[in-house]
Amino acid sequence: MATHEFTQGSSSAVSHQVYGATAHTDNSGTNHGASTEEPEEKAVPVQGLQRDLSARQVQMIAIAGTIGTGLFLGTGRSLAQGGPGSMLICYSIIGFIVYVTLLLLGEMATQYPVAGSFNAYATRFLSPSYGFALGWNYWFNDAVSVASDLTAAQLVVQYWAAEHTWIVSVVFWAFLVAVNSVNVRAYGEMEYWLSSLKVITVVLFIIVGTFVNVGYNTEQQFIGFANWRIDGAPFVGGFGGFARVFVTASFAFGGTESLGITAGETRNPSKNMPRVVKLVFWRIVTFYVLTVILIGLNVPWDYPKLSDRSTTTSPFTIVFTLAGSRTAASFMNAVVLTSVLSAGNHALFAGTRVLYGLSVTVPPQAPKIFSLTTTAGIPLPALLLTSSISALCLTSSYIGSGALWGWLQNIVGVSNQIAWLSIGLSSWRFRKAWVAQGRSKEDLKFVASWTWPWGPAFVIVSVTALILIQGWSSVIPRFSPLDFVSFYVEIPFMTFMTLVWLIVRRERSRRLQESDETEGLLPRRRSHSRAKGSFWDLVNTETVDLHGDQYDEGSESGDEDETSPSKGIKAQLRRLYYWLV
């Protein structure tokens, strides 16, 4: 166990590892990561996080990071609420939106491979106050995700008719906190093996699901599209059921945007980031669309205990049951349980680093206590606060695990959509600034040409529409207060946090300038990023810095890594392995 001797983190320590917003200064002196009207604050570089994740671990985590409870368990809820037709259409639409969104993110992340990813880009190109709200929203997303995953663990063990399932959540919680409080290597090694298992599971499911559909099942009958023709299918619950699937699909696709978060620690990002972004398309087709097709074909939407108030059964487990082997089905359920553990491990790690990142930005966006780290580089106060939100899962004893998991899934799904919306807004402002300052799209290190100029507008409009209409069933035909809150609570939260930062920073800037002027230290300064007298801090696209933080391709000798071609049979086999994965 690591010695819990605390040191205070710095912005330099977090620069390549966390989501937190970063500060950017343009050539006019405007600080885009802070209030633009106050004197610059300095951070003292001291010990913080440690870069102990190996390339092997990072590679596998990146491949399987988007596979979690949303795919293994959430697809059952989607099927029960909307039917196979709604599920296929909604997951395909969300997949396309996510792919376009990641192309937009790839443009910015390749040009400016900085820590913070879309949080940093929102701060730099859109609004510092919005970037502040987005950072806290993403921390809330990760914290609630941990609670969601621990609740999902209760649902998974119900397959074995277990009682007092809340005990599983407590044991998993203690285990995850222990692993994440040791050192980052412990997290990385655990996540590496669990991620490998998830990839193998999805491939195995696709093979078995295909055989089950063509007749290798307990009934020895060809299934085909039979489950699309049963009563209620393929569209269950009308428009309300269809719209409801969007949020569960968004929950499942959550984490795909995290590829931009690794930009600050990616070797030769001008070559590797475009490569990763393009591979996302095939990841979406294989892991989501193909899996959803097989689930819709093989599992009836009204399968007993597929998804109700008290329980949800994984479609992966059901397909193996249909294959005729209870032992194999039980094994698959155990694998699903490990994926839940993996998802919770990743969410707790990410949420802890988000909160740490918010506390070490300049100026700080969270209390300084969350920048304290142990000698092993673990931000323990941030870890404890993030994990404490998981206590929500214990309320399942009173309201039902299925109902609680559904509400948490809605909250996380909407939070993911807000992240995608923010990427669209940031890209819109970034491209506008790029053109306004006389630069052509050919000057970009990576350009998604076919998304010019419609890409950002498409993401903004489509995601906004999703956020507004997916809660239809919570209002019509009857109003459900708890469902309504789970669909829309993120909107007032983002608005409130944006206003808080605007007011607090504006008041602090006024006090500091008055103090400096009284002492004759500084003349009154004018903001270059917003109109004089304006309350909002919308960044000026004509003056925002487009040169700072650009990657210098000559700064590295090459981009050799574990997936790069090199000589020798061992290197070729490793290259083949990663290509297959």
Side-chain angles (χ1 to χ4, degrees):
M1 206 61 161
T3 304
H4 292 166
E5 176 184 338
F6 291 106
T7 58
Q8 190 155 352
S10 70
S11 58
S12 61
V14 75
S15 64
H16 294 297
Q17 298 198 41
V18 299
Y19 305 132
T22 55
H24 302 278
T25 304
D26 64 22
N27 51 15
S28 64
T30 301
N31 186 334
H32 298 291
S35 174
T36 57
E37 295 184 344
E38 71 175 67
E40 183 180 359
E41 299 180 40
K42 302 290 183 182
V44 180
V46 289
Q47 181 177 346
L49 302 181
Q50 297 180 3
R51 300 185 180 97
D52 286 336
L53 288 178
S54 69
R56 167 181 63 87
Q57 294 167 338
V58 172
Q59 181 76 310
M60 184 55 71
I61 292 170
I63 290 171
T66 59
I67 307 174
T69 53
L71 184 64
F72 287 118
L73 208 58
T75 45
R77 185 166 180 253
S78 297
L79 181 61
Q81 291 181 335
S86 296
M87 185 169 66
L88 177 59
I89 293 173
C90 291
Y91 274 72
S92 299
I93 291 175
I94 294 294
F96 181 71
I97 292 173
V98 167
Y99 182 57
V100 175
T101 302
L102 294 185
L103 288 174
L104 304 183
L105 178 59
E107 278 189 351
M108 295 184 288
T110 304
Q111 197 72 24
Y112 307 105
V114 298
S117 187
F118 53 87
N119 289 14
Y121 303 135
T123 299
R124 180 171 187 167
F125 299 114
L126 182 60
S127 161
S129 59
Y130 184 85
F132 166 77
L134 185 62
W136 275 101
N137 177 74
Y138 215 70
W139 170 78
F140 184 67
N141 177 355
D142 286 323
V144 173
S145 291
V146 179
S148 173
D149 294 329
L150 293 178
T151 304
Q154 299 179 38
L155 297 172
V156 173
V157 298
Q158 287 177 4
Y159 175 79
W160 295 298
E163 297 182 357
H164 307 298
T165 54
W166 61 269
I167 296 177
V168 175
S169 294
V170 174
V171 172
F172 274 23
W173 178 89
F175 177 73
L176 291 178
V177 172
V179 168
N180 279 271
S181 63
V182 178
N183 56 53
V184 71
R185 289 191 300 274
Y187 158 81
E189 197 61 26
M190 174 182 169
E191 196 61 22
Y192 172 81
W193 291 107
L194 291 178
S195 294
S196 301
L197 183 59
K198 288 191 292 186
V199 172
I200 295 171
T201 300
V202 172
V203 174
L204 186 62
F205 171 80
I206 291 172
I207 296 172
V208 173
T210 302
F211 277 103
V212 167
N213 188 260
V214 298
Y216 292 90
N217 52 60
T218 53
E219 301 296 327
Q220 296 295 309
Q221 292 182 354
F222 177 78
I223 298 176
F225 282 85
N227 289 320
W228 282 56
R229 296 190 293 269
I230 62 178
D231 290 342
F235 299 99
V236 177
F239 180 75
F242 174 80
R244 203 177 177 97
V245 176
F246 279 120
V247 75
T248 54
S250 298
F251 174 83
F253 278 95
T256 50
E257 72 283 347
S258 64
L259 69 90
I261 293 164
T262 63
E265 56 185 341
T266 299
R267 179 177 294 178
N268 205 341
S270 62
K271 291 184 179 179
N272 291 328
M273 287 304 296
R275 185 186 308 166
V276 172
V277 170
K278 292 172 182 177
L279 284 175
V280 167
F281 173 78
W282 300 108
R283 189 187 305 178
I284 289 173
V285 171
T286 304
F287 287 159
Y288 291 95
V289 178
L290 189 55
T291 299
V292 162
I293 290 174
L294 289 171
I295 290 172
L297 290 176
N298 293 321
V299 182
W301 71 268
D302 56 354
Y303 190 89
K305 295 186 178 181
L306 178 61
S307 180
D308 56 36
R309 184 175 181 83
S310 60
T311 188
T312 296
T313 305
S314 171
F316 283 66
T317 302
I318 294 173
V319 167
F320 273 75
T321 301
L322 295 174
S325 175
R326 293 285 297 179
T327 302
S330 186
F331 172 77
M332 176 55 67
N333 205 59
V335 171
V336 172
L337 189 61
T338 65
S339 77
V340 170
L341 186 64
S342 171
N345 188 37
H346 177 74
L348 183 58
F349 175 85
T352 299
R353 270 61 184 180
V354 169
L355 185 55
Y356 172 87
L358 290 171
S359 69
V360 298
T361 55
V362 180
Q365 297 182 347
K368 278 291 186 182
I369 188 175
F370 297 118
S371 66
L372 299 177
T373 63
T374 66
T375 53
I378 301 300
L380 195 60
L383 172 65
L384 293 177
L385 180 63
T386 304
S387 62
S388 67
I389 304 297
S390 307
L392 285 170
C393 65
L394 300 181
T395 62
S396 61
S397 302
Y398 304 99
I399 60 180
S401 299
L404 175 63
W405 188 65
W407 295 334
L408 296 177
Q409 191 181 43
N410 291 345
I411 293 172
V412 174
V414 174
S415 183
N416 291 334
Q417 291 168 349
I418 289 175
W420 304 336
L421 173 63
S422 302
I423 292 171
L425 290 168
S426 301
S427 176
W428 164 54
R429 300 292 294 177
F430 163 65
R431 288 184 174 184
K432 185 176 181 179
W434 195 264
V435 173
Q437 297 186 31
R439 305 181 72 174
S440 67
K441 65 181 182 181
E442 287 73 22
D443 294 333
L444 291 167
K445 298 181 185 298
F446 166 64
V447 56
S449 298
W450 67 281
T451 66
W452 281 69
W454 60 271
F458 168 75
V459 171
I460 294 169
V461 172
S462 60
V463 176
T464 300
L466 290 179
I467 293 173
L468 294 178
I469 69 172
Q470 63 196 5
W472 179 279
S473 61
S474 67
V475 179
I476 299 173
R478 66 177 182 275
F479 181 68
S480 173
L482 289 175
D483 286 344
F484 183 83
V485 169
S486 68
F487 279 116
Y488 297 110
V489 67
E490 295 283 348
I491 298 176
F493 176 82
M494 283 290 293
T495 303
F496 173 75
M497 295 301 287
T498 300
L499 292 174
V500 164
W501 186 252
L502 278 170
I503 295 170
V504 170
R505 299 305 300 175
R506 188 179 179 87
E507 179 62 22
R508 185 180 178 190
S509 298
R510 185 186 63 78
R511 289 200 306 268
L512 286 173
Q513 287 203 1
E514 287 179 353
S515 175
D516 290 337
E517 289 169 5
T518 300
E519 297 175 10
L521 297 177
L522 287 175
R524 179 170 293 277
R525 299 170 60 186
R526 291 186 180 179
S527 169
H528 292 271
S529 66
R530 66 187 185 205
K532 181 180 179 181
S534 173
F535 177 74
W536 306 104
D537 60 353
L538 187 67
V539 172
N540 190 331
T541 55
E542 295 182 356
T543 60
V544 64
D545 178 27
L546 294 179
H547 299 281
D549 299 318
Q550 291 190 95
Y551 174 72
D552 180 9
E553 295 186 26
S555 62
E556 295 187 36
S557 58
D559 65 339
E560 291 296 317
D561 58 23
E562 294 192 27
T563 64
S564 299
S566 56
K567 297 179 180 179
I569 185 64
K570 184 177 180 181
Q572 294 300 327
L573 288 174
R574 184 168 56 222
R575 183 186 179 196
L576 176 63
Y577 167 72
Y578 280 106
W579 181 85
L580 287 172
V581 171

